[in-house]
């Protein structure tokens, strides 16, 4: 009981005289309160923000493809803008442009064929990312074909090498109704896939339904 009473006396003196209480009455034990807990998040070092999520459509980050001396364009301020330019150009001397490289720092835009991406022309470069041209978010094949008018390939068509319309689409000899490399895959020598295949801009609409009347 005496010990408890002394603690009460020390507490009252501490409240009355503050920090001077311990100096005036050195025989008493004063429990000095420790530093109050800092509120959560206070006095903590500034942590770096989490890295941004990789944009959809990135094939490989930290790389560049294509000839470093011949970008398609400069001062392109977005990956979407670079993608639109690559779609317009469509191909280079090495094939159809199915990839592109763009940098937020240099604002350079490069178009790249599959051969370039798989070969030594894809080099490490922290400033760039390599994207897939026909990929989300700038290309949605489901929505793209849903918005196109219904088209049917000419039944049974194939070229002299027995490549069908499906082959032309799968190998990207035709993309979105445009014939790639006309001199190599189209025209009379190849039985006009551009007239018979929807992927090449040909084909035929479905036959009209017979009317119920009459």
């Amino acid at each position: 009981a005496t010990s408890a009473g002394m603690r009460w006396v020390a507490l009252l003196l501490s409240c009355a005289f503050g920090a001077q209480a311990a100096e005036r009455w050195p025989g008493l034990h004063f429990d000095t309160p420790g530093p109050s807990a800092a509120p959560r998040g206070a006095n903590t070092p500034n942590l770096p923000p989490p890295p941004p999520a990789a944009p959809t459509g990135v094939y490989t980050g930290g790389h560049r493809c294509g000839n470093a001396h011949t970008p398609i364009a400069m001062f392109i301020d977005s990956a979407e803008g670079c993608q639109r330019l690559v779609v317009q150009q469509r191909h280079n001397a090495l094939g159809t442009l199915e990839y592109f490289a763009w940098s937020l720092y240099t604002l350079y835009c490069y178009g790249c064929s599959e051969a370039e991406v798989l070969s030594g022309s894809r080099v490490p470069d922290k400033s760039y990312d390599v994207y897939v041209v026909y990929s989300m978010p700038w290309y949605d094949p489901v929505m793209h074909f849903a918005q196109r008018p219904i088209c049917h390939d000419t039944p049974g068509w194939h070229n002299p090498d027995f490549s069908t319309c499906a082959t032309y689409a799968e190998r990207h000899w035709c993309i979105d109704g445009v014939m790639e490399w006309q001199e190599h895959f189209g025209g009379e020598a190849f039985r006009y896939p551009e007239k018979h295949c929807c992927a090449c801009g040909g084909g035929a609409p479905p036959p009209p339904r017979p009317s119920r009347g009459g």
Side-chain angles (χ1 to χ4, degrees), residues 25-126:
W25 295 277
L28 295 177
H29 177 70
F30 293 89
D31 294 325
T32 56
S36 59
R40 183 175 299 179
N43 299 324
T44 56
N46 293 326
L47 299 177
T56 307
V58 171
Y59 175 75
T60 177
H63 284 76
R64 176 184 51 76
C65 60
N67 188 329
H69 302 290
T70 56
I72 287 180
M74 298 180 288
F75 308 112
I76 305 303
D77 60 2
S78 68
E80 290 82 355
C82 182
Q83 186 264 353
R84 287 193 293 269
L85 291 174
V86 171
V87 169
Q88 292 173 9
Q89 180 164 327
R90 289 196 171 270
H91 55 77
N92 62 15
L94 297 177
T96 301
L97 300 179
E98 299 185 39
Y99 301 87
F100 67 94
W102 176 78
S103 169
L104 176 64
Y105 301 99
T106 67
L107 302 183
Y108 278 27
C109 172
Y110 294 88
C112 317
S113 67
E114 184 175 19
E116 290 176 288
V117 168
L118 298 179
S119 71
S121 75
R122 180 168 61 91
V123 296
D125 190 325
K126 294 182 180 180

